[in-house]
Amino acid sequence: MVRRPVAWVVAVVLFVEAFGIAALNWFLGVVVDRQDMSLAGLDPDMMSASSKIGGIVFGLYFALCGLVALLVAIRNRPPAGFGRILLISAAVVHGLLGAFVWGLVGWTAFLFMVVVLALIVLLLMTYDRPAEPTDAVPPAAPGPDNGGGSKDGGDSPVTSPPAPTTP
C-alpha cells in the first residue's frame, strides 16, 4: 500500500524542515545581532532574540508534526484527535507559506511548499476510510422465516401479534 511510505516520507520531510526552519531563523538572528541593525527604531537585541525564539517555536511545531507522521507510519493507523489537528494545521501553514514564498523567494520554494502540502494531504486522505472488519456477518436476505416485509408494503418487518392472556 501507499499509506506507510507516504507517512514515512512526510515524517522525514517535516523533521528536515523543522531543523531547517530553526537553523535559518537562528542564523538570521545572529546576522541581526552582529550587524547591530535597527529597523524603524526597534531594539536590535529584541529583533535577534525574537528571531531565534520564533525559529525554535516553529522548529518544535514542525518536529511535533513530524512525530505525529512518524507514529502514523509505525502504527499504520490514522492520526486521531490532536495529531490529526496538528497535521491539518501543518497543511494550512504550508499552503499559506507557499502563497507567500511565490512572491518573496521564487517558484522553487513555492514548489517545495506545494509538494509538502500535497504529501500531508495525501497522508490524511489515505487513512480517511475506516477499515472494514473481516469477520463481519453479512445482513440476511429477506425471506419467509425472517420477516420478509410488512402487510402495508413498507420496509418494516412484520411483527407477530401479542399473545393472548388468560384471566
Side-chain angles (χ1 to χ4, degrees):
M1 279 231 109
V2 110
R3 297 189 303 187
R4 284 185 110 170
V6 167
W8 282 107
V9 169
V10 168
V12 168
V13 166
L14 286 175
F15 284 133
V16 169
E17 189 174 14
F19 177 75
I21 290 289
L24 176 68
N25 280 311
W26 193 272
F27 173 73
L28 290 175
V30 168
V31 167
V32 168
D33 194 30
R34 286 193 180 161
Q35 290 189 356
D36 204 28
M37 297 186 293
S38 176
L39 180 66
L42 293 174
D43 183 25
D45 294 330
M46 176 86 73
M47 289 173 38
S48 173
S50 63
S51 177
K52 291 175 182 177
I53 291 170
I56 291 171
V57 168
F58 268 108
L60 289 175
Y61 167 70
F62 285 134
L64 188 60
C65 293
L67 180 66
V68 170
L70 182 67
L71 291 174
V72 167
I74 291 171
R75 295 178 182 166
N76 199 20
R77 282 190 283 169
F82 185 67
R84 186 168 182 85
I85 291 171
L86 268 176
L87 287 176
I88 291 171
S89 70
V92 171
V93 165
H94 279 89
L96 290 172
L97 285 176
F100 288 132
V101 299
W102 176 271
L104 296 175
V105 180
W107 67 271
T108 54
F110 171 76
L111 185 64
F112 174 76
M113 289 296 160
V114 170
V115 167
V116 176
L117 169 66
L119 284 171
I120 294 172
V121 170
L122 184 62
L123 170 68
L124 289 167
M125 296 304 291
T126 54
Y127 282 99
D128 196 26
R129 259 183 281 154
E132 304 239 351
T134 57
D135 59 344
V137 178
D145 59 334
N146 62 358
S150 63
K151 293 177 187 176
D152 60 352
D155 289 339
S156 62
V158 175
T159 58
S160 59
T165 57
T166 55

